[in-house]
Amino acid sequence: MSMADMREPIESGCPDGFQYMHPTMRKNFGQWKFHDDPQPGVLRHVAFSGDEVYTIKAGTQRILDVFTLRTLCDIGDKFADGFIRFTIRSNIEYIVTEEAKVQPLIDALTDAGFIVGGTKNSVTSLSHTQGWLHCDIPGTDASGVVKSMMDELIDEFTAWNMPNRVHITTSCCQINCGGQGDIAINVQHTKPPKIDHNLVSNVCERPSVVARCPVAAIRPAMVNGKPSLEVDEKKCICCGACFPPCPPMQINDAEHSKLAVWIGGNHSNARGKPTFQKLVASGIPNNPPRWPEATAIVKRILKEYKAGAKDWERINEWVERIGWPRFFEVTGLPFTKYHVDNWRGARASLNASTHIRF
Ligand code: SF4
Ligand code: SF4
C-alpha cells in the first residue's frame, strides 16, 4: 500500500487545544505582560503586543444537559466571540477582546440564571466528582453536597470577601478524588464491608479483591461449601477499595457511612511547598438532600478564616500561623481521639514509600 492510500490514524487522545482557542489568545501565546481583575468574575489579560482579552467566568453544574449546553453556547455566539472553555471546577469561561462586550455578556448570563463570579479571593465552585455516573466505588452523591453548599455560599462566589482564594473539594468515596482542597468534604466509612457470601463465587474477582486491600485484611475462605472471602476486621481500615472488584462486599451504609471535613491541602505554589490536608471534623451525618450539618461546619470554618486570616493567607497558612489548638478553639470544633492517627500498622503497610504496589 502506498503512503497516499493509507488513511490517517484515528486519534482518540486529547485533541490539540490550540484549535479551540480564541485567535487573540493563540496569537499572544506565552507573550502576556500582566493580568488584573476589573470586577468579580472578570479577568483581563494584557499582552506585550498591546492586545487585551477579557475572560468572564460563570458557575455551571457538573453534568450539563443538552438544553443548558445549547443555551450557554448561544450566549457565547451572541454576546461573546464564539469561544468558550470549561474549568476543572465546572465553571464556564467566555473570552472577548472588547471591554464593551463584558457587561452585556454578564447581563445575558444573569438573565439566563447563571451566576458570574469565582475569581480572585472568592470561594470558587466546589470541585466534585460524579461517581454515580462514571465510577464504581461511590458511597454518596458528591454533586448533591456541592449543590447544597454552593446554594449557601453563593455570596462568597460572587464577591471578593475572603483573605485569599478558597478551593473546596468533595468526593463520593473515601480513597480517591477530593483531595488537596483548602477544605475537602470526603466520605468516611466507619464499618468494615459486609460480605454477601451467596454472590461472591459468581461475581467477585477474588484475586483482584485480595490484592486490592491496602492492609491485607481480605483472605480467601470457604463458606457453606462455596469459595468466598473473609475480612480481618481488626486490620480493616474501612477504605472501601474492595467494593469495585467485589460488589458483594458492600460497605456503603446509610447510617455508618459518614462525611469528614479536612482542611489545608494545597499544591505547591510560588511561595510554598505542597501541604497535606488534616482532619478537622469526622462522623458528620451523610444527610441528603441538603447536608445541613456538613454545610454548617464549612461555613463556620470560612467565617473564622475570613475574620482571622491576614490578606493573602490561604487556609493552611492561616492555621499554621495561629496554631491548631487555636483553630479548634475559634471554630468550636471538638478535638477528639479520632484526630490522632494511632494505627500501628500504617508504618509497615500503607503506601508511605515511592514503591509502586498493585
Ligand atoms: S471520589 Fe471516588 S467514587 Fe467518586 S468518582 Fe472519584 S474515585 Fe470514583
Ligand atoms: S474496606 Fe479497605 S481495608 Fe477493609 S477489607 Fe476492604 S479494602 Fe481492605
Side-chain angles (χ1 to χ4, degrees), residues 66-117:
V66 175
F67 172 79
T68 309
L69 201 48
R70 289 206 169 122
T71 306
L72 288 164
C73 291
D74 288 347
I75 291 173
D77 284 339
K78 197 163 169 199
F79 295 95
D81 298 346
F83 291 85
I84 58 165
R85 65 182 178 196
F86 284 95
T87 72
I88 201 165
R89 292 181 169 269
S90 313
N91 294 305
I92 188 169
E93 291 185 342
Y94 295 89
I95 320 290
V96 297
T97 49
E98 292 158 46
E99 191 179 359
K101 289 186 177 174
V102 172
Q103 197 53 47
L105 175 56
I106 292 176
D107 293 343
L109 282 165
T110 310
D111 290 346
F114 298 99
I115 300 172
V116 175

Side-chain angles (χ1 to χ4, degrees), residues 192-193 212-215 217-218 231 235-242 249 251:
R212 190 78 168 256
C213 180
V215 293
I218 306 173
V231 171
K235 279 187 178 175
C236 175
I237 53 172
C238 311
C239 67
C242 46
M249 295 187 73
I251 193 164

Side-chain angles (χ1 to χ4, degrees), residues 129-132 134-140 142 170-178:
T129 49
Q130 184 52 279
W132 292 146
H134 69 79
C135 190
D136 54 5
I137 16 179
T140 193
T170 58
S171 79
C172 31
C173 73
Q174 183 164 301
I175 49 175
N176 289 333
C177 320

